[in-house]
Amino acid sequence: MHIDDVVTVPVIGKVTAIQDVPKWQETTEASFGGIVAIRFTQPIAFDTDSPLCSLATGFIVDAQRGIILTNRHVVGTGPFVGEAVMHDHEVVEVQALYRDPIHDFGFLKFDPSHIKYMKLVEIPLAPEQARVGIDVRIIGNDAGEKLSILAGSISRIDRNVPEYGHMTYNDLNTFYLQSAAALSGGSSGSPVIDIEGRAVALQAGGRSHEATNFFFPLDRVQRALKLIQDGKPVLRGSIQTRFKYVPFEVAQKLGLPEETEAMVRQVRPHGIGMLMVATLLPGGPGSLAGLEESDVLLRINGDIVTHFVSLEDILDSHIGRTIDVTVVRGGETVEVSVAVQDMCKLTPSRLVTFGGCVVHDLSYQLAYTCALPLRGVFMTTSGDCLPDMDDSQGIIIDRINEHAVSNIDEFVEVLRKIPDHEPTTIVSYTITDIHTKESTMVSLTHQWNQINMYTHNNSTGLWDRTKIKWSPRPTDIKPVNVRLPELTDPRAGKAAKLMQSIVSVFCGFPLSIEGINKPRAADYGVVVDAARGLVVVSRRTVLLSLCDIYITIANSLCIPATLRFMHPEHNFAIIQYDTKRIGDSNICAATLSTKRPQQGDPAYMVTFNRTSNTMCVNTVVSD
């Protein structure tokens, strides 16, 4: 690009005062060109995010590169599709550029050349200007309104992270700002600007019934933006430990000596508390090094650390190395060396789909929910092939058959080798109860359950698909001996012979089509050709030709079957099973009558009752 081609970007902080126009009016009007409404879809459940279509807000922080700042829970951790609506209602497509592994901020990117009629405005970041008592304006898409302006004052800058609930996104290891302002849905990602037009915080959440709002500070945002602009990776360090800010009076109760408190207050005269270890993930660096919950953090590498920003500065700059951590535990000083991990590698960036199911590695966020080790395969959607598993409870898959699975690579390797129709046991537990394990028996077929792996592409913001090839291990079909029950009641007469022709039929539907939205149907069928394995069954059982069919003989042998004929009008279908799977048996074909029944003719209904016992009911043809 030639020097003459460089675009001059207006910066709100340099707006010249206009005589007789109130300063706030001037500031808000100047910011409109930098604030966008975001319409977005998260099409698939991933991590703590459910599938949804929603509205949010963002603001431009780099007009030349087309970078928009918004919340992490807007960008999401999984696949994202969205568009930004500018102040003049020009619409551009946006892609996910970056989402922080734990903090509630992320960046979207767009092509500035697609904006033809409006001059883009860049809102500067000024985290150092966030102070208690200053007046601010939150400008954004509030309650579906494209542009709404709400006033407030910052009342706290050292609030611990808000807790939004179980099995949802919760931030950690940062302060939040607090203000009294009544915001509602769609305001997420709005800039919190001061009277000079600088963004001092990012709207993140709140309690509408209490008119309390939570703002995310911009210290880490500013760092991440600078690295992205310089073309460098945004490195984030972790020791798998959650800290909480506690006032000095609480630290005293945890054993902080009076002389240590005096020393900390002298070094950090504006501080009112210290950081405390709140949660340690089992098997994480902090736990392995010997840190314990309720430890009060004193020093890292010899420096007094009482603030989240300085804590994260140290962690982010020591990835792959160890840090010396000094804590106070019950009045005693304890020193440990802790290894710092790359937090981005601990955050899932791949997902696997099969038969409507969605799984990925257990995430940092979910592990903190119940203080679990950071390993395991988490199921976000159970899909049609695992309908009996309740994904709302947070399912972690422990093993498939006799194979333990601790990540999705092991999961895929086991799954791709399972033969068609082989009974497969999936052992799982919920994220809230790791001690109670449940087993689910399923039969998978490759035809409907193609395995796909999607990997997040940092360059494009998209998720690239890799089709996993099935390679089922060979299996030998061994015939099984089976005996059908006999009806010994003499009142049944010749109808008793039919008990050796009745089998149970199960039909599963992998897709909802033709108005059929039930996942399965089951009933009985009659063997009409034992040599070929042909069974006649009602169309109330075989509702669709798109299905998986199994028959159960004598309540003991379950084998797959194939649909051979479905009458387009009448209520019957013909299915076929492989006779090689059956050894010695007393199965016999039912003899089909050629006589057309007449009204008043006696008849016998031969079937099974609820407890699977044989029964014969005498009746007559009524119509």
Side-chain angles (χ1 to χ4, degrees):
M1 179 181 289
H2 298 289
I3 189 69
D4 295 336
D5 297 329
V6 175
V7 179
T8 302
V9 178
V11 178
I12 296 176
K14 298 181 180 180
V15 173
T16 304
I18 301 175
Q19 191 174 7
D20 300 327
V21 177
K23 181 66 174 175
W24 270 119
Q25 182 180 353
E26 173 194 352
T27 298
T28 53
E29 288 180 351
S31 68
F32 291 164
I35 299 172
V36 301
I38 300 172
R39 298 194 292 241
F40 68 96
T41 299
Q42 294 172 0
I44 197 168
F46 190 86
D47 197 0
T48 58
D49 300 323
S50 300
L52 84 159
C53 296
S54 190
L55 299 171
T57 306
F59 60 97
I60 300 171
V61 292
D62 189 326
Q64 290 185 359
R65 295 178 177 85
I67 300 177
I68 297 172
L69 173 63
T70 186
N71 291 122
R72 177 187 187 269
H73 68 261
V74 175
V75 181
T77 51
F80 170 90
V81 180
E83 58 185 14
V85 184
M86 301 295 168
H87 181 57
D88 67 342
H89 286 269
E90 290 185 77
V91 180
V92 292
E93 183 182 354
V94 293
Q95 292 87 33
L97 176 63
Y98 171 80
R99 67 266 282 175
D100 193 83
I102 57 172
H103 293 326
D104 198 9
F105 77 92
F107 295 107
L108 300 172
K109 62 179 179 180
F110 69 98
D111 188 344
S113 65
H114 291 173
I115 303 301
K116 301 177 181 179
Y117 307 105
M118 187 187 77
K119 195 169 187 178
L120 297 175
V121 173
E122 186 176 294
I123 299 180
L125 304 181
E128 70 283 353
Q129 299 300 322
R131 301 185 302 274
V132 173
I134 68 168
D135 291 333
V136 293
R137 297 293 185 270
I138 304 100
I139 308 175
N141 175 23
D142 183 56
E145 297 294 334
K146 182 176 176 296
L147 197 64
S148 183
I149 305 171
L150 294 110
S153 299
I154 295 178
S155 57
R156 290 185 64 181
I157 60 173
D158 58 357
R159 188 195 191 284
N160 276 306
V161 296
E163 296 181 1
Y164 297 120
H166 176 68
M167 288 291 294
T168 188
Y169 170 75
N170 291 286
D171 211 331
L172 64 148
N173 290 348
T174 182
F175 287 122
Y176 264 63
L177 283 62
Q178 183 172 309
S179 171
L183 294 175
S184 54
S187 61
S188 293
S190 299
V192 181
I193 63 173
D194 65 4
I195 198 167
E196 299 299 328
R198 301 166 297 196
V200 299
L202 176 69
Q203 163 66 19
R207 298 192 183 101
S208 57
H209 60 283
E210 297 177 2
T212 300
N213 260 278
F214 308 127
F215 306 144
F216 182 78
L218 299 179
D219 306 87
R220 310 313 291 167
V221 177
Q222 194 173 53
R223 169 186 176 270
L225 178 61
K226 181 66 168 59
L227 290 171
I228 291 173
Q229 291 170 332
D230 293 342
K232 299 178 181 179
V234 183
L235 300 178
R236 301 284 280 111
S238 170
I239 58 174
Q240 295 191 30
T241 303
R242 181 174 70 92
F243 291 89
K244 184 178 181 181
Y245 191 69
V246 296
F248 281 114
E249 59 176 317
V250 175
Q252 292 171 3
K253 296 176 181 178
L254 296 173
L256 181 69
E258 187 175 337
E259 59 274 15
T260 304
E261 178 185 343
M263 180 269 295
V264 172
R265 285 182 179 272
Q266 184 177 6
V267 176
R268 301 284 186 264
H270 300 294
I272 61 170
M274 301 177 70
L275 299 179
M276 176 198 74
V277 176
T279 306
L280 289 161
L281 295 191
S287 176
L288 295 176
L291 291 177
E292 296 181 4
E293 293 181 0
S294 297
D295 285 349
V296 178
L297 180 63
L298 183 58
R299 292 186 178 90
I300 298 180
N301 292 341
D303 295 329
I304 299 294
V305 176
T306 62
H307 199 282
F308 285 115
V309 174
S310 54
L311 169 66
E312 292 202 303
D313 278 338
I314 295 172
L315 295 179
D316 293 347
S317 60
H318 285 77
I319 296 174
R321 295 185 285 171
T322 59
I323 55 176
D324 297 323
V325 179
T326 304
V327 297
V328 176
R329 182 184 302 160
E332 301 293 330
T333 300
V334 179
E335 297 183 358
V336 297
S337 292
V338 187
V340 181
Q341 296 179 323
D342 186 347
M343 190 188 301
C344 295
K345 293 182 179 179
L346 304 177
T347 304
S349 59
R350 299 180 300 167
L351 65 90
V352 171
T353 64
F354 70 101
C357 298
V358 181
V359 298
H360 59 73
D361 289 327
L362 184 66
S363 71
Y364 212 43
Q365 281 287 329
L366 292 167
Y368 274 111
T369 300
C370 297
L372 300 177
L374 195 54
R375 63 174 182 270
V377 176
F378 182 75
M379 178 181 290
T380 65
T381 307
S382 59
D384 293 327
C385 69
L386 300 174
D388 296 327
M389 303 180 76
D390 184 4
D391 53 45
S392 66
Q393 300 301 311
I395 295 174
I396 297 178
I397 297 176
D398 184 63
R399 62 179 57 246
I400 301 176
N401 292 332
E402 70 277 9
H403 303 285
V405 290
S406 59
N407 54 59
I408 60 171
D409 290 320
E410 295 177 358
F411 176 84
V412 169
E413 188 60 24
V414 173
L415 191 67
R416 64 193 289 265
K417 294 181 179 179
I418 297 175
D420 268 349
H421 306 294
E422 180 178 273
T424 302
T425 302
I426 297 179
V427 180
S428 63
Y429 56 89
T430 64
I431 200 169
T432 56
D433 186 3
I434 64 174
H435 303 292
T436 302
K437 296 184 178 180
E438 296 184 358
S439 298
T440 303
M441 182 71 73
V442 297
S443 292
L444 302 178
T445 54
H446 303 171
Q447 183 176 6
W448 315 122
N449 303 314
Q450 172 61 47
I451 305 176
N452 293 302
M453 180 178 288
Y454 297 85
T455 304
H456 181 246
N457 188 320
N458 292 323
S459 299
T460 64
L462 304 177
W463 290 70
D464 300 330
R465 187 186 78 152
T466 301
K467 191 174 180 179
I468 305 298
K469 184 179 179 181
W470 286 89
S471 57
R473 62 181 180 276
T475 56
D476 295 327
I477 297 177
K478 297 180 180 180
V480 178
N481 299 332
V482 63
R483 307 298 295 179
L484 284 160
E486 297 180 0
L487 187 60
T488 57
D489 191 337
R491 291 173 297 178
K494 294 180 180 181
K497 190 68 174 177
L498 288 174
M499 292 308 304
Q500 298 172 19
S501 305
I502 299 177
V503 296
S504 299
V505 180
F506 171 88
C507 194
F509 310 107
L511 297 174
S512 298
I513 60 174
E514 298 183 14
I516 307 299
N517 56 12
K518 60 193 301 185
R520 65 184 78 89
D523 215 321
Y524 294 103
V526 179
V527 177
V528 293
D529 191 330
R532 295 181 176 86
L534 297 178
V535 179
V536 173
V537 64
S538 167
R539 279 204 56 180
R540 290 188 59 189
T541 306
V542 185
L543 295 167
L544 301 169
S545 58
L546 188 72
C547 61
D548 288 322
I549 304 174
Y550 298 88
I551 68 167
T552 302
I553 302 172
N555 251 7
S556 59
L557 176 61
C558 182
I559 57 177
T562 305
L563 178 63
R564 292 305 183 194
F565 174 75
M566 176 185 288
H567 199 284
E569 295 180 352
H570 299 322
N571 186 24
F572 77 92
I574 299 176
I575 62 176
Q576 184 177 30
Y577 61 88
D578 187 355
T579 56
K580 295 179 181 178
R581 293 178 176 268
I582 300 175
D584 180 36
S585 74
N586 61 343
I587 298 176
C588 64
T591 301
L592 302 183
S593 175
T594 58
K595 178 184 175 183
R596 186 179 182 88
Q598 300 295 321
Q599 187 176 16
D601 286 350
Y604 301 90
M605 185 180 71
V606 181
T607 186
F608 295 89
N609 60 17
R610 294 181 181 179
T611 58
S612 298
N613 292 320
T614 58
M615 61 179 293
C616 179
V617 178
N618 296 338
T619 183
V620 295
V621 177
S622 61
D623 193 4

